[in-house]
Amino acid sequence: MFEVIKELDSLQIDLFSNMYIDSIIFLNENILFRRDSNVTYVYFPWKLLKGTVNFIKVFYNGVPQEAKNPPWGGGFVWNKDKNGKPWVGVACEGVGASLWWPNKDHLSDEPDRFTIHLTVPSELMGVSNGRLVNKKRLKNGYTKYSWLVDNPINNYNITMNVADYELFKDVYVNVDGDSLSLDYYVFPYNLDTARAHFVQTKDMLECFEKLCGSYPFYKDGFKLVEASYWGMEHQSCIAYGNNFENNRWGFDYILIHESAHEWFGNSLSCTDHAEMWLHEAFATYMEALYMECKYGFERSVDYLRSQRIFINKEPLLGPMDVNFRYWISSDIYYKGSWMLHTLRNVIGDDALWFDIINIFTTKYKKSSVKTSDFTSIVSNESGRKLDYFFEQYLKKAELPVFKYKLKRKKKNQLEFEYMWDAQAKGFRMPIKVTTEKDKYTMIFPDEKWKSMTLDNLKMDEFKIAEHLYLIKTEQLK
Ligand SMILES: [Zn+2]
């Protein structure tokens, strides 16, 4: 079903060429269509007028491509559980949902709601996004599960899981007294482990609702479904495959990360893969904020230190409008997380920083979002011009280098010279250094050498607050 926003007599839909289209029906009649690689052009018998709502039915079949390396190399995942029973899933972010069902396969548009019917052998369960609205046992040994998503949803988030699951339920009640159903689909042999392990879902919801506003999909509920791959943020039906393991910080980062995508990626969604940092940097940073919720700022900084695994060989922002998804690194995750941590410390006002996050998730709840939407909120709320910051961290691969010289003038007195060497013009990020033993002070370096005298500081007491900023440092003689 689609609404016409511009008069048309033909339409493009996407479906991988290995899938066979049998017929396309419009007003109970077969209509013409032409296939060209993964694209199908549909021809209507007359012009469809602006503002009209129309239906087409696409009858298709085939064996969808298999995932080579799920969830990154997308496709179907055919597996067996420990009892040798079928275990089927699909993950298609990046490659596109049109690998298994026909749609307008572009991030800039989302279905407003979605129904999916899964007919599976009755000894298995078929689990998809949203609410189970009907379950019907058929005479042929199969059962039909009908699921309704009553929210806008990215195509790649639409999923199916078929296995011998067992369902256990819980309920989360938020600060306003609203109830959210928590449904967990796990294997019977993992039931006890899962019951104990998934308790952290409530801690996560409490923390993320405090920071980012209420969970965006109360109507559709929250589900975790055992998957044979690591994880994927399928909206209201998160694929979970981390073996019920906590990391050394005491939480399951897959559960936390994928759930963070409900706010960053599923609720607010980018319109171009080039801006995928809006999903991944935030979801990765939310892992650190979850640490902060649980154990405070210091521990979250320790956690962030464990995320310093980036290579700085490509910018966080990819080339726009070319369906770019060819990242050579995981920098949009970890470097992105550190960029946000750095931004927080540049803003230097935690209350304001958390307001910015909340305004971002609230203003763009269930909407498309661009990088400039975020940077505008930052500049409007902080009243600061931070173009140089975003230019450097989003559009350049390299890190800014803080260059400095220290000379001993007399006992406990140092001559300190410093400057930025960065790719972004006018880079002038303020940072903190020690001006007295263990006392950090904000300084305002720019692209030219500046100097100051540090009284009361020994050479080995000088520190740059590298735990607060993503920078390189270079001491010159
Ligand atoms: Zn992610």
Side-chain angles (χ1 to χ4, degrees):
M1 184 168 107
F2 59 95
E3 186 183 337
V4 180
I5 53 170
K6 197 176 162 193
E7 192 175 271
L8 57 87
D9 56 11
S10 69
L11 185 71
Q12 177 188 327
I13 55 173
D14 305 299
L15 181 68
F16 274 32
S17 58
N18 64 314
M19 303 296 281
Y20 177 74
I21 295 184
D22 179 76
S23 56
I24 300 182
I25 306 290
F26 173 65
L27 297 175
N28 297 321
E29 299 282 344
N30 270 301
I31 53 169
L32 291 174
F33 62 91
R34 178 172 67 84
R35 303 201 68 182
D36 182 358
S37 182
N38 293 340
V39 167
T40 300
Y41 298 100
V42 183
Y43 301 101
F44 295 98
W46 51 76
K47 279 205 162 102
L48 304 184
L49 299 178
K50 186 180 166 185
T52 56
V53 174
N54 299 273
F55 301 84
I56 52 171
K57 267 189 191 171
V58 181
F59 289 86
Y60 74 104
N61 61 73
V63 180
Q65 75 175 40
E66 218 169 304
K68 291 215 172 64
N69 178 29
W72 302 282
F76 266 69
V77 192
W78 306 98
N79 226 312
K80 294 248 194 280
D81 71 9
K82 281 187 186 163
N83 296 326
K85 292 186 180 170
W87 183 11
V88 186
V90 60
C92 57
E93 186 186 12
V95 57
S98 55
L99 76 85
W100 68 290
W101 58 281
N103 61 77
K104 176 183 173 185
D105 210 353
H106 198 275
L107 293 179
S108 62
D109 205 0
E110 296 185 8
D112 299 325
R113 64 210 300 262
F114 197 86
T115 311
I116 184 167
H117 306 281
L118 303 172
T119 302
V120 306
S122 291
E123 65 272 23
L124 305 175
M125 258 191 210
V127 184
S128 186
N129 316 76
R131 299 269 180 203
L132 181 65
V133 288
N134 199 21
K135 180 182 164 186
K136 191 176 175 194
R137 228 185 148 93
L138 308 176
K139 288 199 177 104
N140 58 1
Y142 281 74
T143 297
K144 184 176 170 185
Y145 292 82
S146 301
W147 295 86
L148 170 70
V149 182
D150 208 359
N151 274 295
I153 182 166
N154 280 317
N155 289 336
Y156 68 78
N157 267 317
I158 290 161
T159 192
M160 51 162 282
N161 304 274
V162 179
D164 177 26
Y165 291 123
E166 190 155 331
L167 165 66
F168 74 94
K169 289 169 166 285
D170 200 351
V171 175
Y172 166 76
V173 181
N174 73 8
V175 286
D176 299 323
D178 300 325
S179 297
L180 173 66
S181 64
L182 311 176
D183 291 352
Y184 302 113
Y185 290 85
V186 299
F187 290 110
Y189 48 79
N190 287 331
L191 198 57
D192 292 341
T193 316
R195 272 186 203 282
H197 190 73
F198 288 163
V199 165
Q200 58 193 301
T201 301
K202 287 185 181 174
D203 293 349
M204 174 278 294
L205 286 165
E206 205 175 295
C207 171
F208 290 180
E209 287 205 326
K210 190 179 90 188
L211 299 176
C212 310
S214 61
Y215 171 73
F217 310 111
Y218 268 75
K219 244 182 173 176
D220 291 337
F222 177 91
K223 290 195 285 295
L224 291 174
V225 185
E226 268 204 79
S228 57
Y229 49 93
W230 240 357
M232 184 65 209
E233 63 262 32
H234 297 137
Q235 186 173 308
S236 70
C237 185
I238 291 169
Y240 173 80
N242 197 31
N243 294 320
F244 310 98
E245 275 171 17
N246 284 339
N247 55 16
R248 67 190 165 97
W249 309 92
F251 69 91
D252 187 326
Y253 87 101
I254 286 289
L255 192 161
I256 301 301
H257 178 101
E258 303 307 338
S259 301
H261 278 306
E262 294 283 31
W263 285 265
F264 300 97
N266 301 352
S267 175
L268 63 81
S269 310
C270 69
T271 59
D272 190 315
H273 284 114
E275 295 186 293
M276 204 40 87
W277 79 271
L278 289 163
H279 299 193
E280 297 304 348
F282 275 99
T284 309
Y285 180 58
M286 290 309 288
E287 297 168 33
L289 290 188
Y290 178 72
M291 274 298 286
E292 188 166 339
C293 279
K294 295 272 293 178
Y295 308 111
F297 181 72
E298 302 272 304
R299 292 283 286 158
S300 84
V301 171
D302 288 342
Y303 184 75
L304 279 157
R305 283 198 180 98
S306 76
Q307 289 186 333
R308 284 194 81 117
I309 42 175
F310 27 81
I311 60 168
N312 306 310
K313 292 271 187 275
E314 62 186 341
L316 296 182
L317 203 53
M320 298 288 288
D321 303 319
V322 289
N323 208 19
F324 178 82
R325 55 184 179 87
Y326 306 102
W327 308 101
I328 55 167
S329 69
S330 51
D331 282 8
I332 57 169
Y333 296 75
Y334 302 109
K335 184 178 174 184
S337 171
W338 262 90
M339 180 201 71
L340 292 168
H341 177 61
T342 305
L343 182 58
R344 170 187 183 167
N345 292 300
V346 168
I347 289 170
D349 176 341
D350 281 353
L352 176 59
W353 172 243
F354 288 115
D355 275 353
I356 286 171
I357 292 180
N358 201 282
I359 291 167
F360 185 45
T361 48
T362 309
K363 184 173 178 187
Y364 294 101
K365 189 172 183 176
K366 301 182 195 176
S367 311
S368 295
V369 72
K370 292 184 180 307
T371 295
S372 56
D373 296 324
F374 177 68
T375 58
S376 299
I377 290 176
V378 172
S379 58
N380 291 342
E381 294 303 314
S382 69
R384 305 256 293 271
K385 259 186 94 62
L386 292 167
D387 304 20
Y388 68 87
F389 178 94
F390 294 115
E391 178 72 17
Q392 181 69 35
Y393 284 103
L394 290 174
K395 297 185 181 168
K396 312 291 179 195
E398 301 87 346
L399 294 182
V401 183
F402 181 71
K403 292 190 166 169
Y404 67 102
K405 299 175 193 171
L406 282 174
K407 277 183 207 127
R408 189 168 177 274
K409 281 179 97 173
K410 49 187 160 173
K411 192 168 185 275
N412 289 354
Q413 195 187 62
L414 299 173
E415 181 66 19
F416 171 43
E417 289 178 76
Y418 54 90
M419 67 171 283
W420 282 117
D421 181 4
Q423 286 67 36
K425 254 185 104 183
F427 192 82
R428 53 185 184 283
M429 186 170 90
I431 58 164
K432 286 180 175 174
V433 298
T434 49
T435 48
E436 282 174 46
K437 189 174 187 235
D438 295 328
K439 188 184 163 229
Y440 282 104
T441 306
M442 187 79 88
I443 58 165
F444 299 88
D446 58 28
E447 295 162 302
K448 295 202 177 86
W449 285 103
K450 288 184 176 177
S451 69
M452 66 197 289
T453 305
L454 304 177
D455 296 312
N456 222 355
L457 193 75
K458 292 189 191 123
M459 195 70 96
D460 61 359
E461 291 167 350
F462 177 79
K463 279 187 236 160
I464 301 160
E466 289 185 69
H467 60 297
L468 302 180
Y469 311 100
L470 177 56
I471 55 172
K472 273 189 178 161
T473 60
E474 190 182 335
Q475 185 173 8
L476 304 175
K477 293 276 177 220

